[in-house]
């Protein structure tokens, strides 16, 4: 799409109101469509941003306070890129200011430590629309981890700007101007005295025409809102500057700077909001769709809770309520990004060398498996695509040319059997030739559990967890894998519960102990491994909460240890220790009995994991059905839901009292 010219976005005032509004409305729609073509996986985000800026752009005359749109998301999801591109498409890139709120990327000097100074140095006219981006806002925290106020020296005027868009001048800057005026007068008088001869004749050397240096003149022009050219200001005598300073201080209108028509984007990463995903930077194993589902359920409530860990309540209020939350990218989005990135390399080589590679789907799968870290967005992905393809395709192009491959020939690219090389085939006058090119598919090597015994151990353990979960909850796990790189083991991923019943709590303890129970059943008690240590820790914690915190045991009172006299707890934990052990023993034996009853299913699952390294949900449903077990795939969550509710509470309520 051809981008609209900047002037087109600036001349609407000269058009009749209706025509101008219609034209701006269309340009906004065109910008939205272009953003969706360029930025994948965030269509809903783009729609919300466009709706948020509509009044500001289509009818700026009605704007009397800054329009604030907050963009929150994991790193590498396109927050800053969206704001920059939107400014370009709407013709505002010359009235666009981006501030890194960490304070370390805006240069030095007094003007780089205040928002007013940076706006004053920009081309955004006072009282006119412009775009301000406050990036990395999470680093501008004013409250520490303990909830205590932090001393923040930079950008303190941002809170005034967010309130009503009207900024007073920095008093320190005015004092600097006053000191400079005093220095100028002192220098002028001393120069006049020194340059006079004893007989009062004029000085032999003509004085400099410039009274101020360029930096001081620029500060003066910005602080006092002067329109005069910089060179002219540099020639002004001290008396003229002093007079202008006094006029400025007496004028209330001049004193206040009006930025009330700004569009302000507040961008940042709130790790507290993404607590289940943001810190998992090493996780290249969990399917991107699981991260996407988790982050898609976040709401404005989660944003405000996360902000409360970093800012004071009155500051959070000034950010407003227009919070746009970026979910992490889905698998489909990553696959699309990979295809487009690979295509750019193919097209680049074709246009420069005349050879066109055809990269097969198995290569794209390998790139996904070796490049996607769902919690880190696109940056690792693009870096990996470059590392995997750039050198290998260039080497392949040179090889093909040396082999006499004709221009415009299509060269298929596949993955070798060892999954460590790209195989390129080419047709030459003497026949088909092939060559392998080594590529850095490092995660493949890490994920492969070459030792047959270790794979069998992991497969049995994870199959135990997955089978018991399916039996007790009637749905299969979201993921079961043993080929992983993040740690030396395997894992199951289960659906989050929004409401946990007493039975759900007991069943999850059983699921947690099922890995060890499967090891005991298949390998014998003496061959059980230490790999269940974390399982036992989590199961013990769950049993403790079940009995001591949730009131699901013989006691109703909350039982725990404490040293705080203001915490009113039942501190007699001894009796609950025995109850915890009994509950854990009961659920371990229950898991073992269920596994013995479904031994054939357990073996089929373990064999599938040993062979493939994972079992997809749909395949798991088929496997269980073949053994007479009916289970469903994990259901998606409705908007606003943070987990599944398995108990039919509504049906219970409908039946309640019917037979009274």
């Amino acid at each position: 799409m051809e981008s609209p010219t900047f002037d087109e976005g600036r001349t609407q005032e000269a058009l009749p109101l209706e025509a101008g509004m219609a034209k701006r409305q269309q340009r906004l729609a065109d910008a939205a469509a272009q953003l969706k073509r360029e930025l994948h996986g965030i269509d809903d985000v783009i729609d919300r941003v466009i709706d948020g800026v509509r009044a500001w752009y289509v009818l700026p005359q009605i704007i009397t306070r800054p329009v604030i749109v907050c963009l929150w998301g994991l790193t590498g999801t396109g927050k800053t890129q969206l704001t920059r591109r939107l400014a370009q498409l709407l013709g505002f890139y010359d009235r666009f200011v981006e501030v890194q709120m960490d304070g370390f990327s805006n240069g030095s000097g007094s003007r780089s430590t205040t928002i007013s100074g940076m706006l004053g140095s920009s081309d955004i006219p006072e009282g006119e629309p412009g775009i301000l981006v406050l990036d990395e806002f999470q680093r501008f925290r004013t409250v520490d981890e303990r909830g205590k106020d932090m001393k923040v020296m930079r950008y303190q005027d941002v809170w005034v700007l967010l309130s009503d868009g009207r900024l007073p001048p920095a008093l320190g800057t005015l004092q600097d101007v006053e000191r400079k005026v005093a220095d100028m007068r002192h220098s002028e008088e001393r120069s006049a005295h020194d340059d006079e001869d004893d007989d009062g004749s004029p000085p032999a050397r003509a004085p400099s025409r410039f009274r101020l240096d360029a930096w001081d003149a620029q500060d003066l022009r910005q602080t006092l809102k002067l329109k005069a050219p910089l060179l002219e200001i540099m020639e002004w005598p001290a008396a003229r500057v002093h007079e202008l300073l006094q006029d400025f201080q007496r004028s209330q209108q001049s004193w206040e700077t009006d930025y009330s028509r700004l569009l302000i984007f507040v961008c940042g990463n709130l790790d507290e909001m993404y607590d289940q995903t943001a810190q998992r930077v090493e996780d290249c194993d969990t399917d991107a769709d699981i991260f996407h589902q988790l982050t898609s359920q976040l709401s404005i409530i989660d944003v405000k809770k996360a902000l409360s860990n970093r800012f004071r309540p009155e500051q959070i209020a000034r950010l407003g309520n227009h919070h746009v939350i970026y979910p992490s990218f889905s698998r489909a989005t990553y696959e699309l990004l990979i295809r487009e990135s690979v295509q750019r390399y193919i097209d680049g080589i074709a246009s420069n060398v005349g050879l066109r590679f055809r990269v097969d789907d198995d290569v794209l799968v390998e790139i996904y498996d070796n490049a996607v870290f769902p919690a880190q967005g696109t940056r690792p992905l693009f870096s990996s695509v470059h590392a995997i393809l750039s050198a290998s395709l260039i080497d392949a192009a040179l090889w093909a040319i040396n082999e006499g491959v004709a221009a415009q020939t299509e060269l298929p690219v596949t993955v070798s059997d060892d999954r460590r090389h790209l195989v390129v085939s080419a047709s030459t006058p003497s026949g088909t030739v092939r060559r392998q090119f080594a590529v850095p598919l490092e995660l493949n090597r890490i994920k492969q559990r070459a030792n047959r015994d270790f794979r069998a151990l992991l497969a049995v353990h994870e199959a135990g967890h997955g089978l018991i979960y399916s039996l007790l909850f009637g749905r299969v796990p979201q993921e079961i894998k043993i080929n992983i790189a993040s740690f030396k083991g395997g894992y199951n991923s289960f659906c989050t519960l929004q409401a946990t019943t007493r039975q759900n709590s007991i069943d999850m303890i059983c699921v947690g102990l099922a890995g060890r129970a499967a090891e005991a059943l298949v390998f014998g008690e003496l061959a059980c491994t230490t790999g269940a240590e974390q399982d036992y820790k989590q199961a013990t914690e769950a049993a403790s909460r079940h009995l001591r915190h949730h009131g699901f045991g013989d006691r109703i009172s909350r039982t725990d240890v404490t040293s705080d006299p203001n915490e009113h707890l039942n501190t007699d934990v001894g009796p609950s220790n025995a109850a915890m052990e009994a509950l854990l023993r009961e659920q371990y034996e229950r898991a073992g009995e269920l596994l013995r009853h479904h031994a054939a299913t357990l073996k089929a699952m373990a064999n599938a994991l040993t062979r493939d390294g994972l079992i997809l949900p749909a395949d798991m449903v088929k496997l269980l059905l073949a053994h007479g077990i009916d289970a469903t795939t994990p259901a998606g969550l409705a908007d606003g839901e943070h987990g599944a509710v398995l108990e039919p509470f509504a049906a219970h309520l409908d039946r309640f009292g019917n037979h009274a």
Side-chain angles (χ1 to χ4, degrees):
M1 184 188 84
E2 183 178 351
S3 298
T5 63
F6 287 178
D7 289 339
E8 185 181 344
R10 302 286 175 79
T11 60
Q12 303 307 312
E13 292 77 10
L15 299 172
L17 181 61
E18 295 82 359
M21 290 177 62
K23 194 168 186 179
R24 283 177 173 266
Q25 187 84 298
Q26 184 57 51
R27 184 169 182 179
L28 198 61
D30 293 342
Q34 183 66 17
L35 287 171
K36 290 177 182 179
R37 283 191 286 270
E38 296 178 8
L39 305 177
H40 301 303
I42 57 170
D43 285 6
D44 291 342
V45 167
I46 292 170
D47 287 338
R48 289 197 60 190
V49 170
I50 293 297
D51 286 343
V53 307
R54 191 177 305 280
W56 171 85
Y57 181 70
V58 175
L59 195 60
Q61 298 90 331
I62 68 172
I63 301 301
T64 59
R65 305 173 72 87
V67 173
I68 303 169
V69 179
C70 299
L71 307 179
W72 308 111
L74 294 169
T75 184
T77 50
K79 300 180 294 295
T80 308
Q81 186 180 3
L82 187 152
T83 63
R84 293 171 181 168
R85 191 68 180 110
L86 180 63
Q88 290 175 331
L89 293 171
L90 297 184
F92 273 85
Y93 209 53
D94 59 341
R95 289 193 277 178
F96 175 87
V97 176
E98 184 177 327
V99 181
Q100 298 295 315
M101 296 301 288
D102 56 12
F104 299 108
S105 52
N106 297 311
S108 59
S110 61
R111 290 200 165 272
S112 64
T113 61
T114 64
I115 301 297
S116 59
M118 300 189 72
L119 288 171
S121 302
S122 74
D123 292 326
I124 300 178
E126 183 179 350
E128 294 296 322
I131 299 177
L132 171 66
V133 176
L134 305 176
D135 205 4
E136 299 294 344
F137 200 80
Q138 79 281 358
R139 298 183 183 177
F140 186 59
R141 67 185 308 160
T142 58
V143 174
D144 64 19
E145 290 82 357
R146 297 172 297 174
K148 304 296 184 182
D149 287 348
M150 295 177 62
K151 185 177 182 180
V152 181
M153 302 299 295
R154 63 187 184 277
Y155 308 143
Q156 280 302 292
D157 54 346
V158 72
W159 303 113
V160 177
L161 179 70
L162 292 171
S163 177
D164 61 8
R166 300 180 184 277
L167 294 171
L171 296 180
T173 304
L174 289 177
Q175 291 170 355
D176 289 342
V177 172
E178 286 185 306
R179 280 195 295 270
K180 189 60 185 177
V181 171
D183 287 341
M184 289 174 65
R185 287 203 161 181
H186 175 71
S187 297
E188 287 175 358
E189 291 182 6
R190 187 173 63 181
S191 177
H193 180 270
D194 291 344
D195 287 341
E196 286 184 357
D197 292 335
D198 292 340
D199 59 0
S201 60
R205 179 174 55 85
S208 170
R209 56 185 279 232
F210 296 120
R211 313 296 182 89
L212 287 169
D213 63 35
W215 291 108
D216 288 335
Q218 179 174 291
D219 276 347
L220 186 67
R221 184 168 68 171
Q222 291 173 348
T223 302
L224 303 187
K225 305 180 185 179
L226 303 173
K227 303 297 184 183
L230 198 62
L231 285 174
E232 181 181 327
I233 296 174
M234 292 171 65
E235 296 179 5
W236 287 350
R240 174 77 183 279
V241 175
H242 185 251
E243 180 183 353
L244 290 170
L245 176 61
Q246 288 182 319
D247 290 343
F248 180 84
Q249 291 173 324
R250 286 192 294 264
S251 170
Q252 181 65 33
Q253 183 178 4
S254 297
W255 186 264
E256 195 173 62
T257 304
D258 180 11
Y259 288 112
S260 60
R261 289 190 174 182
L262 282 181
L263 169 61
I264 301 177
F265 286 107
V266 176
C267 304
N269 311 329
L270 290 178
D271 288 353
E272 296 91 342
M273 184 170 67
Y274 296 89
D275 60 345
Q276 298 185 66
T277 53
Q279 301 304 321
R280 293 164 64 176
V281 295
E282 80 291 348
D283 191 345
C284 57
D285 302 301
T286 303
D287 191 271
D289 283 340
I290 293 179
F291 279 81
H292 179 72
Q293 182 183 34
L294 286 171
T295 55
S296 294
Q297 306 309 314
L298 297 171
S299 69
I300 186 174
I301 304 301
D302 300 294
V303 172
K304 300 236 177 195
K305 285 180 180 177
L307 288 172
S308 67
N309 293 317
R310 294 176 178 267
F311 301 100
R312 296 193 295 272
E314 67 274 15
Q315 294 169 337
I316 297 172
R318 296 191 181 197
L319 293 174
N321 279 345
H322 195 168
H323 296 279
V324 180
I325 303 170
Y326 279 64
S328 64
F329 290 138
S330 66
R331 184 183 186 94
T333 298
Y334 278 116
E335 290 173 343
L336 178 58
L337 290 169
I338 290 171
R339 283 196 297 272
E340 289 194 347
S341 183
V342 169
Q343 192 61 46
R344 283 194 292 271
Y345 279 96
I346 293 173
D347 293 342
I349 292 175
S351 63
N352 287 278
V353 181
L355 298 173
R356 178 163 291 279
F357 292 98
R358 188 190 74 235
V359 176
D360 286 359
D361 288 343
D362 61 346
V363 178
L364 302 181
V365 171
E366 289 302 315
I367 292 175
Y368 181 96
D369 289 342
N370 286 269
V372 173
F373 288 74
Q376 294 195 287
T378 59
R379 295 186 182 99
L381 172 67
F382 294 139
S383 173
S384 294
V385 171
H386 176 78
I388 293 169
L389 287 185
S390 59
S392 58
L393 290 187
I394 289 174
D395 289 344
L398 292 172
W399 164 77
I401 292 172
N402 290 333
E403 290 289 334
V405 176
Q408 306 306 317
T409 299
E410 186 177 73
L411 307 176
V413 182
T414 60
V415 178
S416 64
D417 292 338
D418 66 3
R419 299 171 70 188
R420 296 189 179 186
H421 299 79
L422 295 183
V423 181
V424 180
S425 305
S427 297
T428 68
S430 58
T432 300
V433 292
R434 291 182 178 84
R435 184 168 175 180
Q436 292 189 347
F437 298 88
V439 286
L441 301 176
E442 183 180 4
L443 294 183
N444 274 345
R445 177 182 56 80
I446 299 174
K447 290 179 180 180
Q448 296 306 311
R449 312 297 189 190
N451 186 291
R452 183 170 179 268
D453 292 326
F454 189 54
R455 288 180 67 83
L457 169 63
L458 293 179
V460 167
H461 186 101
E462 298 306 329
H465 287 305
L467 176 54
I468 295 301
Y469 178 83
S470 302
L471 290 170
L472 298 183
F473 288 89
R475 56 179 61 197
V476 300
Q478 294 174 308
E479 285 187 298
I480 309 180
K481 287 185 178 181
I482 65 168
N483 282 4
I484 61 176
S486 305
F487 59 93
K488 295 179 179 179
Y491 74 91
N492 279 252
S493 176
F494 306 127
C495 179
T496 303
L497 295 181
Q498 189 168 0
T500 302
T501 66
R502 184 174 190 161
Q503 188 62 55
N504 295 155
S505 176
I506 293 172
D507 290 345
M508 282 308 300
I509 295 172
C510 185
V511 171
L513 298 171
R516 168 64 71 83
E519 290 185 29
L521 176 63
V522 177
F523 307 127
E525 288 287 352
L526 293 180
C528 289
T529 68
T530 59
E533 179 180 1
Q534 186 65 20
D535 292 342
Y536 271 38
K537 178 181 178 181
Q538 292 174 349
T540 302
E541 179 184 352
S544 173
R545 295 177 66 83
H546 180 90
L547 296 168
R548 294 172 175 169
H549 293 182
H550 302 316
F552 289 153
D554 293 335
R555 287 182 175 179
I556 294 178
S557 60
R558 182 182 175 100
T559 304
D560 212 335
V561 294
T562 182
S563 58
D564 186 349
N566 293 319
E567 282 195 278
H568 302 290
L569 303 172
N570 184 339
T571 57
D572 183 17
V573 298
S576 60
N577 286 337
M580 282 171 53
E581 181 62 27
L583 176 60
L584 291 167
R585 173 61 60 182
E586 176 187 345
Q587 294 310 308
Y588 178 79
E589 293 174 354
R590 180 189 180 202
E593 184 60 34
L594 286 170
L595 291 172
R596 278 189 291 275
H597 184 70
H598 296 280
T601 311
L602 176 66
K603 184 171 183 178
M605 289 178 60
N607 286 339
L609 284 170
T610 302
R611 181 183 65 249
D612 302 325
L614 80 165
I615 305 178
L616 298 174
D619 295 333
M620 179 76 167
V621 170
K622 293 177 183 178
L623 186 152
L624 293 176
L625 192 59
H627 289 80
I629 302 171
D630 189 13
T632 62
T633 56
L637 300 178
D639 289 343
E641 290 186 349
H642 288 254
V645 180
L646 303 182
E647 189 70 18
F649 293 110
H652 291 327
L653 177 59
D654 290 341
R655 291 193 299 269
F656 178 73
N658 289 345
H659 304 292

